Amino acid sequence: MGDSNGLAFIFGALLAAGIAYFFLGSNGKTSSPTILATTGPVLHPSEYRKFKLTKKVVLSPNTARYRFELPTPESTLGLPIGRHIQVMVPVNGSPVARSYTPTSTDNDRGYFELVVKTYESGAVSSYLHHMQVGDEVSVRGPRGTFQYKPNMVRALGMVAGGTGITPMYQIIQHILANPEDKTRVSVVFANVSEEDILLREQLELWAADHDQFDIHYVLNNPPAEWTGGVGFVSKEIIQEYLPAPADDVKVLLCGPPPMVKAMGVLLGDLGYEAPRVISKPDDQVFKF
């Protein structure tokens, strides 16, 4: 019995010391448990990290919303607003990477979401399309140079084409969730057909609920009852729906390269600063 009591005492002392070290750290100062190291931002700028698909919602025949799990329910992706991530997947035995902007923000804890349109020739989008819940992708970031800051300008104009709406969506969501951000946001959103308009329901809810946000659609192939814009985004559409050029105005562009190039020319002709080939954060017209 004496030996048993002695061993129990020693074991208890060692256990107590271990617990104290775990919670206090080697310097005796209070610190959080080690597990909390995974509750902050989980992205790494150069190291690819794996994330598991937990949910897939089909939005249209060729577009879906993909939800990926973060390490803990309190984890955040750690992506500044306006930046994007790089997603890498194996294709025919070789790694292939593409850039995507999550439609979620760091206000969404425990997961991040991507809205991706599948293209027949798109290696990564096709891989995502065929993923099953439980499959993993490799991600790193943040990437890109633009970072939105509240009230950085009086008015923000956006021209998006197709899936080019995703970086705009992220920024709009962030602005409208902050009562202190008074930035006025005007969007021209171009698509081929009405079925191609991504995230339309949420965009229209925001437009109905927030006076500082409005959106105008343009379709190449509109239905008979269509009341929005028709054809391509023109000078007249830009003049009517985007803020006029001024020192406290910025315009963001994202979409197919030919469209972005054409919009840069139109904006330059209308008096905005002509965009550079590679945009810099302080440019009046920024191309994602």
Side-chain angles (χ1 to χ4, degrees):
M1 288 291 289
D3 289 343
S4 297
N5 288 338
L7 288 172
F9 176 82
I10 293 170
F11 178 77
L14 289 172
L15 180 61
I19 292 173
Y21 185 89
F22 180 76
F23 283 102
L24 300 179
S26 60
N27 59 5
K29 295 182 179 179
T30 302
S31 63
S32 300
T34 303
I35 192 171
L36 292 183
T38 62
T39 62
V42 298
L43 275 179
H44 192 280
S46 58
E47 173 188 311
Y48 280 102
R49 295 179 173 175
K50 291 185 178 296
F51 299 94
K52 183 187 299 183
L53 180 68
T54 58
K55 187 177 181 181
K56 178 180 176 180
V57 178
V58 175
L59 303 178
S60 74
N62 58 7
T63 306
R65 179 186 286 113
Y66 303 86
R67 176 174 288 193
F68 295 92
E69 183 180 53
L70 296 179
T72 78
E74 290 302 311
S75 296
T76 60
L77 190 59
L79 186 69
I81 298 299
R83 302 283 181 91
H84 55 269
I85 59 175
Q86 200 164 48
V87 177
M88 184 177 69
V89 300
V91 178
N92 298 324
S94 299
V96 179
R98 294 290 184 271
S99 294
Y100 294 100
T101 303
T103 51
S104 54
T105 71
D106 279 356
N107 291 326
D108 302 303
R109 294 182 176 271
Y111 68 89
F112 71 92
E113 291 185 336
L114 301 175
V115 171
V116 180
K117 183 175 182 177
T118 302
Y119 294 93
E120 192 172 327
S121 59
V124 176
S125 64
S126 295
Y127 183 94
L128 294 173
H129 176 73
H130 290 100
M131 285 183 70
Q132 301 296 316
V133 170
D135 292 345
E136 294 181 325
V137 295
S138 298
V139 175
R140 69 179 180 181
R143 315 292 283 181
T145 60
F146 181 77
Q147 182 172 338
Y148 178 78
K149 297 178 182 178
N151 298 304
M152 63 188 297
V153 289
R154 172 182 56 82
L156 197 58
M158 301 175 172
V159 182
T163 54
I165 192 64
T166 55
M168 314 303 188
Y169 184 95
Q170 183 201 62
I171 295 168
I172 296 164
Q173 181 178 195
H174 188 71
I175 291 172
L176 299 182
N178 180 3
E180 301 302 316
D181 195 337
K182 306 303 181 183
T183 306
R184 176 159 187 82
V185 185
S186 303
V187 181
V188 172
F189 188 12
N191 287 277
V192 175
S193 65
E194 189 171 16
E195 294 72 25
D196 294 322
I197 302 175
L198 300 179
L199 304 165
R200 183 179 186 178
E201 182 178 0
Q202 184 59 62
L203 290 167
E204 293 186 354
L205 282 174
W206 285 337
D209 292 343
H210 298 272
D211 292 338
Q212 73 191 97
F213 172 64
D214 58 76
I215 185 164
H216 178 71
Y217 303 104
V218 180
L219 298 180
N220 288 102
N221 301 320
E225 69 281 5
W226 182 251
T227 58
V230 176
F232 297 101
V233 179
S234 63
K235 286 184 180 179
E236 291 74 22
I237 288 174
I238 291 173
Q239 286 177 311
E240 183 172 355
Y241 294 102
L242 293 191
D247 291 341
D248 55 358
V249 164
K250 183 181 284 286
V251 177
L252 306 179
L253 305 177
C254 191
M259 173 191 166
V260 171
K261 183 177 180 180
M263 292 303 99
V265 173
L266 290 183
L267 288 165
D269 291 345
L270 289 170
Y272 301 87
E273 294 177 8
R276 308 173 198 249
V277 175
I278 299 177
S279 294
K280 294 187 177 182
D282 292 335
D283 289 351
Q284 185 178 51
V285 178
F286 185 92
K287 301 182 296 183
F288 284 102

